[in-house]
Amino acid sequence: MQIERRTSAIASTTRAQGAATLQTRSGGHPFHPPHPRRTRICFPFAGGLIGGSHVSALKLVQSLEGTEFEPIVLLHNLEGPLRGFVESAGIRFELAPPVHVWRPGDGLAMRRIARTLPDTLRMRAFLRARDIRIVHTNEGPMHATWALPARLAGAGHIWHHRGNPRARALRVQAPLLASRVLCVSNFAAPAPGLWSALRKSSTVYSPFDTAIAQTDRERARAALNARLGIGAETVVLAFLGQFAERKRPLVFVETIAALRRARPELRLAALMFGEEFEPGIEARIRARIDALGVADLVRMMGFLRPIEPWLAASDMLVVPAVEEPFGRTLIEAMLLGTPVVAAASGGNLEAIRNRGTGLLARADDPADLAAHALELIDHPQLADTIAHRARQEALAKFSVEQHVKRVTAIYREVLAA
């Protein structure tokens, strides 16, 4: 009893002082007071295909281990490659509550509206039962699905906007329901106005594993040559991204056709890495390849992981995407030392200094993209100089550490509000 009273007194004194002082048990063995409970942050994902938003968000999740924040990852759908990607990264996840996931284009049908209230109450109960203090959403369907339940549960809501600044939910829901809006670029930030989330928005660039800058490009190229059966003299151009209209995969095919017309003698290999995101678009890509007579140049590579060796082995990355908020592949290419030719549109203008860390061509102009690609092909010293500058700038601006520091500072601000 005396020992118990003494231990209780010591613990009470320690709590009152707020100290983490090392105490001693009666047997003389040292012990530390229990670590304060970590603040739980919920990361819900719709599931299915993998995009840059998932890669960025999961890097943040991994980096929160060992901090005062405990990430709780939820998947609404276990089908598709996202589940495997999460598992391969060693990230624990749970199945999300069984609710309707709101997606772009969902109409306000009565049956959906009728489900809204019980679904909202179910999610609110989940958040309260798990003592989740912040919900951090990273994709459109999750913003629309979790914003109201988070508000009703008394949790903060981080609306991580990675899409078009004109997105309806960003304009309508975010000003009312979001605690903070994180934008992947200045381009992605909401427009100012009387009803706007701009006042609660911050630009936070996505995190990148800067260790990929150590990738051996020569070894990667040798492996690619052997895999594809091409010679060292072949110029390899890469397209990387989901097959969606915004990414402009058809413009990439037209750029390759423009290169062939300009230099029919040039040995080219055009590699398209990705998978269909919008139904029917892959069939349109293949039809355009056949119609333009470049089936011998363009290779559909599918979705490959890891992608870094393939990208490092390429002579350049062509990014024809228009109004892209902030493409991950562009920065990854910069880190790997692969020169970039991109459309002068959206977040590309923030990531690249024209003729400094890459080349910018007119948007939706295959001939201009081809002309800029030829400039790098014809002037290898220029390509090397641009690649070197781009790598140094990417290393300085886009590390995981800087991203985590910015985001966790915003978590603390939301919790203190």
Side-chain angles (χ1 to χ4, degrees), residues 25-147:
R25 295 189 188 274
S26 58
H29 299 292
F31 75 99
H32 293 277
H35 191 281
R37 184 171 180 176
R38 299 164 70 197
T39 301
R40 289 182 168 175
I41 315 292
C42 180
F43 291 85
F45 296 97
L49 299 180
I50 302 171
S53 62
H54 303 102
V55 177
S56 296
L58 292 171
K59 282 190 179 299
L60 172 63
V61 167
Q62 289 175 314
S63 300
L64 290 179
E65 294 297 339
T67 71
E68 74 265 38
F69 300 107
E70 178 186 359
I72 306 292
V73 175
L74 303 181
L75 296 185
H76 281 269
N77 178 12
L78 300 184
E79 302 298 323
L82 181 58
R83 175 185 179 178
F85 182 67
V86 172
E87 290 176 332
S88 67
I91 296 173
R92 298 186 302 275
F93 68 90
E94 304 175 23
L95 187 63
V99 298
H100 172 73
V101 173
W102 288 88
R103 298 182 183 276
D106 274 358
L108 296 177
M110 289 305 298
R111 62 185 179 86
R112 290 200 178 105
I113 294 174
R115 290 188 59 181
T116 299
L117 180 58
D119 282 354
T120 298
L121 294 177
R122 187 177 296 114
M123 288 185 282
R124 182 187 68 171
F126 172 85
L127 294 173
R128 286 181 170 177
R130 299 299 303 276
D131 191 27
I132 288 169
R133 302 289 305 282
I134 291 177
V135 178
H136 188 149
T137 55
N138 290 273
E139 48 191 348
M142 295 295 91
H143 302 327
T145 302
W146 283 91

Side-chain angles (χ1 to χ4, degrees), residues 54 89 94 110 178 200 202 232 235 239 245 293 353 360 389 396 401 405:
H54 303 102
E94 304 175 23
M110 289 305 298
K200 60 176 75 173
S202 302
V235 177
F239 171 96
E245 189 64 34
R353 291 184 294 104
L360 294 172
R389 289 177 186 155
E401 292 76 17
K405 183 177 180 180

